[in-house]
Amino acid sequence: MEIKVKCNCGVENCSEWAILELQGVVESQPSIANQIQGLEIGRLCCSSSSSQVNYTFTVGYHELSGTKVSLKKPLLVLKKNKQEEGSVSNNEVDLEVIGIIRHKILFKNRPKAIISRPQVKDKKASD
Amino acid sequence: MATNKGDINDGGAESFLTLGPDNSVTVRYHPDFGPHSDLILLEVPDDSVLNDLLRGRVTIRGQFDEDAVLCTPSSTYAMKFVGTSNSVFLIPPGKPNLSDPQPNPLVSVLKLAPGNVELVLTAPRLDKLRFLLMQRLYKIDEEDEEDCSSEGLYTWHDLICSIQASDEELREGLKFLSAVEINGFWRIVHPKSVNMILTMVLTNSVLHDWSLDALVEEEVLSVLESDGFNTTIVKHCLETFGTKNENDNSKLWGLDKKRIAVHFAKQVLGSNGGKMRLEIFIEKWMRNVQKGTPFDLNMLEGEVLYETIGAETWIKAFSVADLPLTPDARFSVLFKECAKWAWKDLEPYVRDLRVPGISSEGLLIKYTRRVQPNADAEPIFSAR
């Protein structure tokens, strides 16, 4: 069987996707279970010190620090399409390139626990 | 909500990646967040493959019971899924949804990726090609036979769907097998038919006083066609045993005496395993080969092995072209044939082995045990 890998975007127009990567697992409260669509995960901030650009990701009571990394080997986002009935090829599936990822923001340091309530909520409370 | 994922452009990847100092974004789960198992991340090893992928020149090949391979026009890659224990949040492209009541730009995560597929450059899997094409060897009079089915016959398209190799490697594989395309099917010509046609060409050369260094293609084809031989096959014979010399208008072929000598040596010995006393072989070989051919046994390296039985030397057909292409299978067959090999005897039977990322020394280290009693002695190779 031969499956063609299609690409409608071409070399110039490939949409750029991104990755936020952290060590560990983000969990939601048991009461929310799987209804997490649309819910906030956290706040991502950027700061620079001397020559370095740092990122801080605050999730709940944890603060993670990380950096932006350029991928030595880019990742392509491929989508598997099920063939419609009566299509020309008799494969069941085809593949399409729908995006490229060249950079990610990576958090690999241990999270710092924020003892007091997160800054964001404080600010809101004082509004 | 069947959104076409190619069209998702509200993930906010742009804001995410261009986030500058003293700014922040809110990261949330996309309203469509889910497993999206139809989205796969593919790691691209280099710019050349990336280019091929973005220009739609890449295909995935294999049968359902095989591991899939990814093929560019010239190379073959094994596909390996590598998982990660990290949380890899995938953010779709585009500007974020600005109509949101959030004070910060909103970045939305569509999926948590369990890992990505890695591509590992691999040797094309061509052993199957010989197996398929050996199912029905082309014989000269086959058109006269009753059986006109196309079972066991393969078109180029059939081969692409069955063989895990890039187009370029598949063509090289076909050339290596001396396959020829007849009526749309790729065929290996039966050795007896090859011999018949070659002999006809040589006999006619004498009859018509043709020079074997400059055979005129049209003349050869028309004479043999009038004798009932398919012109495609005759031309294939010229390609197999000669080199084209395109001079002015007429196409000229020069036959390679060495290739012809090797052919007749194999005719004398029969197929793999056929053996006879060396003196008898030489006598028969000399009778077959044309006068004036400076032939010597060195021409037969990679085609024959020698055995000492009692006080006699015997010669045996053993052609490297009939052996498996993958290193482990090749060495297994070699050591089954003979437990110990001196390097000069082994070399012709391993010089064609190619594995990306491993040198020939590396292959020897991996698959053989090397013994060298002292610096002056010749090294001997045996199975690991």
Side-chain angles (χ1 to χ4, degrees):
Chain A
M1 135 218 87
E2 190 194 28
I3 298 175
K4 289 211 196 309
V5 180
K6 301 190 299 202
C7 180
N8 294 322
C9 49
V11 181
E12 304 295 322
N13 295 327
C14 210
S15 314
E16 192 160 356
W17 293 49
I19 281 175
L20 188 158
E21 183 173 345
L22 49 91
Q23 287 180 343
V25 173
V26 173
E27 286 177 352
S28 42
Q29 304 225 343
S31 53
I32 298 178
N34 286 327
Q35 310 297 319
I36 51 179
Q37 283 85 353
L39 291 188
E40 180 181 317
I41 301 173
R43 178 74 58 77
L44 178 69
C45 307
C46 177
S47 65
S48 66
S49 60
S50 52
S51 54
Q52 235 188 337
V53 178
N54 297 310
Y55 295 87
T56 307
F57 191 38
T58 307
V59 181
Y61 292 97
H62 289 115
E63 197 179 83
L64 301 152
S65 70
T67 52
K68 193 197 283 191
V69 170
S70 291
L71 301 183
K72 283 187 294 267
K73 298 184 191 175
L75 294 172
L76 287 183
V77 184
L78 300 185
K79 178 164 181 278
K80 259 194 300 202
N81 296 315
K82 286 231 182 313
Q83 288 285 16
E84 292 116 26
E85 295 282 326
S87 66
V88 176
S89 106
N90 51 15
N91 288 325
E92 287 165 12
V93 116
D94 73 51
L95 284 172
E96 191 186 344
V97 176
I98 61 170
I100 186 168
I101 302 163
R102 295 187 189 273
H103 309 280
K104 64 183 180 186
I105 299 184
L106 172 64
F107 297 90
K108 53 183 186 186
N109 297 317
R110 278 195 138 215
K112 200 171 74 177
I114 303 172
I115 311 294
S116 56
R117 277 187 295 167
Q119 281 291 311
V120 173
K121 289 220 170 104
D122 280 346
K123 274 202 181 133
K124 274 196 176 156
S126 59
D127 276 346
Chain B
M1 204 182 347
T3 7
N4 183 348
K5 281 167 206 146
D7 295 341
I8 290 184
N9 55 4
D10 61 350
E14 197 184 310
S15 303
F16 177 80
L17 292 170
T18 57
L19 184 62
D22 301 327
N23 284 315
S24 58
V25 294
T26 300
V27 181
R28 65 153 184 182
Y29 290 105
H30 194 282
D32 275 343
F33 179 84
H36 297 290
S37 52
D38 58 337
L39 290 184
I40 301 165
L41 296 181
L42 177 72
E43 186 187 62
V44 184
D46 58 57
D47 283 339
S48 161
V49 180
L50 180 61
N51 213 329
D52 286 331
L53 276 158
L54 294 177
R55 291 186 201 276
R57 296 191 211 134
V58 166
T59 62
I60 302 217
R61 295 181 176 169
Q63 300 292 298
F64 292 109
D65 57 353
E66 293 170 321
D67 295 328
V69 297
L70 182 141
C71 295
T72 64
S74 59
S75 304
T76 307
Y77 295 84
M79 298 174 77
K80 214 175 49 151
F81 181 80
V82 178
T84 177
S85 56
N86 284 359
S87 291
V88 176
F89 291 103
L90 192 58
I91 300 165
K95 295 198 185 330
N97 197 336
L98 288 174
S99 63
D100 227 75
Q102 292 278 349
N104 287 318
L106 202 53
V107 165
S108 305
V109 159
L110 186 65
K111 167 188 165 116
L112 202 47
N116 60 258
V117 174
E118 279 183 4
L119 296 179
V120 180
L121 187 62
T122 187
R125 299 174 186 170
L126 293 170
D127 278 324
K128 195 172 164 191
L129 180 62
R130 182 196 295 143
F131 174 77
L132 291 181
L133 297 188
M134 293 289 279
Q135 284 174 355
R136 274 179 71 173
L137 297 177
Y138 177 85
K139 288 188 237 183
I140 291 181
D141 292 324
E142 79 170 28
E143 280 107 11
D144 301 339
E145 279 166 35
E146 301 270 321
D147 179 15
C148 301
S149 76
S150 59
E151 206 187 299
L153 296 183
Y154 301 90
T155 60
W156 172 255
H157 182 75
D158 293 331
L159 292 178
I160 283 180
C161 291
S162 309
I163 306 291
Q164 296 186 303
S166 65
D167 284 3
E168 196 180 290
E169 288 162 326
L170 183 54
R171 282 188 207 285
E172 272 170 32
L174 288 167
K175 197 161 168 217
F176 179 73
L177 293 172
S178 277
V180 56
E181 197 175 16
I182 304 167
N183 296 331
F185 296 109
W186 280 91
R187 314 290 301 276
I188 293 179
V189 184
H190 195 289
K192 287 202 169 74
S193 299
V194 173
N195 189 51
M196 197 187 304
I197 298 172
L198 177 65
T199 310
M200 285 299 291
V201 171
L202 295 174
T203 314
N204 274 293
S205 307
V206 174
L207 270 174
H208 300 278
D209 216 5
W210 293 336
S211 160
L212 289 179
D213 292 323
L215 291 170
V216 179
E217 184 181 296
E218 289 158 38
E219 219 181 322
V220 175
L221 290 182
S222 77
V223 167
L224 265 78
E225 194 180 13
S226 62
D227 282 337
F229 291 100
N230 179 326
T231 50
T232 314
I233 301 296
V234 178
K235 189 145 180 240
H236 179 66
C237 176
L238 292 175
E239 276 164 7
T240 309
F241 293 101
T243 331
K244 199 182 253 194
N245 176 9
E246 243 146 324
N247 236 347
D248 307 315
N249 292 321
S250 64
K251 297 187 197 152
L252 298 177
W253 290 86
L255 291 189
D256 185 324
K257 297 196 168 93
K258 183 184 167 193
R259 279 185 245 172
I260 296 179
V262 171
H263 167 83
F264 283 118
K266 286 159 88 161
Q267 287 296 114
V268 167
L269 278 174
S271 52
N272 263 12
K275 60 184 179 184
M276 59 183 61
R277 292 216 317 268
L278 186 57
E279 307 86 55
I280 297 185
F281 166 77
I282 291 178
E283 189 198 340
K284 289 190 170 183
W285 193 29
M286 280 175 71
R287 262 192 271 140
N288 273 292
V289 173
Q290 336 136 242
K291 294 192 180 22
T293 307
F295 69 91
D296 67 83
L297 290 172
N298 286 331
M299 283 179 183
L300 302 179
E301 69 168 13
E303 300 290 346
V304 297
L305 293 179
Y306 302 95
E307 263 173 54
T308 315
I309 300 182
E312 300 169 331
T313 308
W314 285 59
I315 185 170
K316 173 173 159 181
F318 191 67
S319 178
V320 65
D322 295 334
L323 301 183
L325 295 165
T326 52
D328 48 356
R330 169 77 62 92
F331 280 104
S332 170
V333 168
L334 290 175
F335 290 124
K336 204 161 83 172
E337 177 63 35
C338 182
K340 292 188 171 37
W341 291 73
W343 175 240
K344 67 167 169 46
D345 302 319
L346 182 62
E347 198 265 336
Y349 290 98
V350 299
R351 73 163 76 114
D352 64 311
L353 288 176
R354 299 236 186 293
V355 178
I358 307 186
S359 66
S360 8
E361 291 80 39
L363 286 174
L364 287 176
I365 292 172
K366 191 170 176 188
Y367 293 103
T368 72
R369 188 184 318 165
R370 183 180 188 274
V371 169
Q372 188 173 12
N374 55 61
D376 296 328
E378 223 192 300
I380 300 290
F381 294 87
S382 57
R384 262 206 167 279

